[in-house]
Amino acid sequence: RHLAAAQQLRSDRDGRRIDEAAVALADAKSESAAIISGCFVQAADQETVLFKVFSEYERESLRSGRVGVAAADLQHILEALTGCRPRADECERMMDPGATISFDQFLRIYQEVRNGDLPFKSFAQTLDDFKRLCSLIPDDI
């Protein structure tokens, strides 16, 4: 919807729909900023929230006799924290095959995902879409 509004603004610069498109773009810009800021836990609360989410999955693992979390758990944790679900094979590549990870290892993975050093396809696509949308929004809006 936001991308369509930005494209409409470009094509209708001299048309009657310019005001409508400008309003849609301003709304899109505000909404997108809120979505992106919500993608990651803010630094002040980051470690506490990350530990809480990780611990929920680790408790389930402990009930099954495992220490740490497995790749399937990592998939759910990253989805909960970023809004994007990595594929199972992407999570398996983030850790040793068949292994579980500790909170410290998870924290490193999360930071690498956040910095773009360890992207997974759905998250990378979301960031690319956002960058493309931002490039369509004129600076004066």
Side-chain angles (χ1 to χ4, degrees):
R1 163 187 109 154
H2 304 339
L3 189 56
Q7 290 169 337
Q8 183 68 38
L9 180 61
R10 276 209 168 141
S11 64
D12 287 346
R13 279 221 179 261
D14 298 320
R16 297 170 80 169
R17 294 179 48 115
I18 188 78
D19 291 336
E20 191 176 303
V23 168
L25 273 174
D27 290 345
K29 192 173 184 179
S30 295
E31 185 177 314
S32 296
I35 289 169
I36 293 299
S37 69
C39 282
F40 291 110
V41 180
Q42 298 303 313
D45 302 321
Q46 180 174 333
E47 195 161 330
T48 302
V49 172
L50 295 176
F51 184 76
K52 181 178 178 183
V53 173
F54 181 87
S55 294
E56 289 174 23
Y57 286 91
E58 187 176 40
R59 269 193 296 279
E60 290 299 316
S61 292
L62 288 171
R63 289 185 189 126
S64 302
R66 294 184 318 235
V67 176
V69 299
D73 299 322
L74 179 61
Q75 188 177 25
H76 294 291
I77 293 169
L78 288 173
E79 180 180 19
L81 294 169
T82 67
C84 299
R85 185 180 181 97
R87 295 187 324 259
D89 64 306
E90 292 172 318
C91 286
E92 289 167 5
R93 283 194 302 268
M94 293 178 191
M95 49 195 292
D96 294 332
T100 59
I101 57 171
S102 67
F103 177 70
D104 290 336
Q105 292 165 316
F106 163 71
L107 192 56
R108 180 190 50 77
I109 289 170
Y110 177 79
Q111 289 168 341
E112 288 180 10
V113 166
R114 182 178 175 168
N115 296 336
D117 297 331
L118 189 61
F120 51 89
K121 188 175 181 176
S122 63
F123 186 68
Q125 182 63 48
T126 298
L127 290 180
D128 288 346
D129 289 347
F130 180 72
K131 289 175 187 174
R132 191 171 59 246
L133 174 64
C134 288
S135 72
L136 294 172
I137 300 173
D139 291 334
D140 58 344
I141 287 185

